[in-house]
Amino acid sequence: MSPHQDADSPWKTVLRRFFPEAITFFFPDIANLIDWQKPPVFLDKEFVRLTPNAKIGKRYADQLVKVQLKRRQTLILLLHIEIQASKERCFEERMLVYALRIFDHFHQLPCSLAILCDSISDWRPHHHALVSPSSRLDFEFTASKLLDYQSQWADLEANPNPFAVVVMAHLKAQALKQKGPELRHWKFLLVRSLYERGYNRAQILDLFKFIDWIIVLPTALNNSFWNDLKTYEEEKKMAYITSVEKIGFKRGKQAGKQAGRQETQRSIILSMLAEGIPLETIARVTQLSIEQIQAIQKP
C-alpha cells in the first residue's frame, strides 16, 4: 500500500491533533460559536454504528465530534466533518443520509461540514433535496474547497494556524505530483517553515508526518531531502525530525539482530510507533511493508 492509498489515517490524525485549529481555519463562523475550554469529544463508536455499510459512498476521514457552545452551556453541537478526495456522484445524498441518521440517534441536527480536497474547480456540493408529490426535504451543508486557497498563498504563508501548512502541502502535492525536483524543493520549504513558525517539537513532528505522507519523493530525491533537513536541524540545534529518524534506524538495526535477544521485532515496532516514528520510516529501517506494520499495530 502506498502512502496515498492509505488516505484515511493521515487526514484523521491531523484533524484530531489540531481539531480546534481545523475548524477555526476552514469554518471560522462555526468556531466562534464553540466554547473551546470544553474539550471536544470524538464519537467514533457512535459514528461506526450510524454508518455500518459503505454502499452510500466511500468514507474518507469522516469525523463526528461533540462540542459545547458558548452561549448555552447545556447545548451540544454535533459536527460532521468530511474530507472528500474526489468528485463523488452521491456525495450530497451521503451527507444527507448521515445527517438524518445522526438526528435519529441524538435528536439533534448535526452541523454538517465538508472539506473538499479534489482538483475539480467547478464541483461545489452543498445541497440535496428529496421531493415527493406531497412533501419536500431540502438539506444544505457548508463546504470548504482547498483549491480556493491556491490564490491566497501569501495569506497561507503568513497564517500561524497549523492547517495553513496542511493546505499548502496538499496543494503542492496535488499540483506538482509529476515534478519531482520542484516537489522536493517545496517539501523542504514546508518542513523548514514548521520551525520558522515557532511550533513546538510535538507539533512539528505531527505536521511532518502529514507532509511526509502527502509529498512522496523518489528515493534519490528523498535521500537528498533528508540530508538537507539534517543539515538544517544541526544549524538550528533543533534535531526534532532527524532524531526520530535516527531512533528509527537504531531500532531497525536492533530488529535485524533478534537472535539471542528478548525483545522481538513486534515489540520493537510497537515501541517505534509509540515514539511517533512515521510508518514510512519504520518500513525503511525494518524492510517491512506498511501493510505488515499496520498488521502488527492491530491488537
Side-chain angles (χ1 to χ4, degrees), residues 19-245:
F19 184 74
E21 292 87 349
I23 300 303
T24 299
F25 183 88
F26 292 113
F27 310 105
D29 291 344
I30 301 298
N32 287 335
L33 300 176
I34 298 172
D35 180 2
W36 293 111
Q37 298 300 314
K38 305 292 190 301
V41 178
F42 292 88
L43 304 173
D44 297 336
K45 293 181 180 178
E46 291 85 347
F47 193 71
V48 169
R49 286 199 296 268
L50 292 171
T51 57
N53 63 69
K55 292 182 179 180
I56 302 167
K58 179 182 181 297
R59 283 182 284 162
Y60 185 69
D62 301 339
Q63 296 283 274
L64 184 61
V65 187
K66 182 169 64 174
V67 297
Q68 191 158 327
L69 300 182
K70 292 177 180 177
R71 290 185 296 179
R72 294 179 59 186
Q73 296 299 314
T74 59
L75 181 62
I76 302 298
L77 177 65
L78 291 165
L79 297 176
H80 180 85
I81 312 298
E82 281 285 340
I83 307 295
Q84 187 65 17
S86 59
K87 182 176 180 179
E88 189 174 317
R89 184 173 57 87
C90 297
F91 178 67
E92 296 94 329
E93 178 185 344
R94 177 158 61 93
M95 292 290 285
L96 170 59
V97 171
Y98 284 3
L100 291 176
R101 289 178 179 175
I102 292 167
F103 177 80
D104 183 56
H105 184 80
F106 292 99
H107 303 288
Q108 185 175 356
L109 185 68
C111 177
S112 296
L113 308 172
I115 301 173
L116 305 174
C117 303
D118 65 286
S119 59
I120 304 171
S121 60
D122 61 351
W123 187 54
R124 305 277 170 170
H126 69 283
H127 170 263
H128 190 69
L130 296 178
V131 182
S132 74
S134 61
S135 303
R136 179 182 179 91
L137 176 62
D138 283 300
F139 173 70
E140 293 186 356
F141 57 91
T142 301
S144 180
K145 188 92 167 179
L146 264 60
L147 275 183
D148 293 342
Y149 293 95
Q150 185 68 65
S151 61
Q152 305 172 35
W153 197 263
D155 292 336
L156 290 175
E157 291 181 321
N159 191 336
N161 190 309
F163 259 83
V165 179
V166 170
V167 171
M168 287 191 288
H170 178 92
L171 290 175
K172 287 302 179 184
Q174 191 176 66
L176 303 173
K177 54 187 174 183
Q178 303 299 330
K179 301 178 180 179
E182 194 172 350
L183 195 54
R184 178 225 173 279
H185 169 74
W186 274 105
K187 182 172 184 175
F188 180 74
L189 289 184
L190 289 168
V191 173
R192 188 177 69 182
S193 76
L194 303 180
Y195 299 85
E196 295 170 346
R197 287 164 173 264
Y199 298 147
N200 62 39
R201 184 179 188 274
Q203 291 172 319
I204 288 174
L205 289 174
D206 287 331
L207 290 167
F208 171 76
K209 290 175 191 176
F210 181 85
I211 295 172
D212 196 42
W213 166 78
I214 202 167
I215 301 182
V216 179
L217 300 172
T219 300
L221 291 174
N222 194 50
N223 290 338
S224 172
F225 162 79
W226 276 101
N227 287 336
D228 284 357
L229 180 58
K230 181 180 179 181
T231 300
Y232 176 78
E233 286 200 329
E234 288 174 349
E235 291 173 352
K236 298 286 290 184
K237 294 181 173 56
M238 301 169 71
Y240 295 166
I241 297 170
T242 52
S243 65
V244 171
E245 179 81 353

Side-chain angles (χ1 to χ4, degrees), residues 3 187 208-209 211-213 215-227 229 241-253 255-256 265 269 272 276-293:
K187 182 172 184 175
F208 171 76
K209 290 175 191 176
I211 295 172
D212 196 42
W213 166 78
I215 301 182
V216 179
L217 300 172
T219 300
L221 291 174
N222 194 50
N223 290 338
S224 172
F225 162 79
W226 276 101
N227 287 336
L229 180 58
I241 297 170
T242 52
S243 65
V244 171
E245 179 81 353
K246 184 177 179 181
I247 291 169
F249 276 103
K250 184 178 179 181
R251 294 278 187 182
K253 289 179 180 178
Q265 185 184 61
I269 290 171
M272 293 165 73
I277 298 173
L279 285 174
E280 291 75 17
T281 298
I282 299 174
R284 284 200 300 273
V285 302
T286 62
Q287 300 301 305
L288 295 176
S289 68
I290 289 179
E291 291 98 324
Q292 290 172 313
I293 296 168

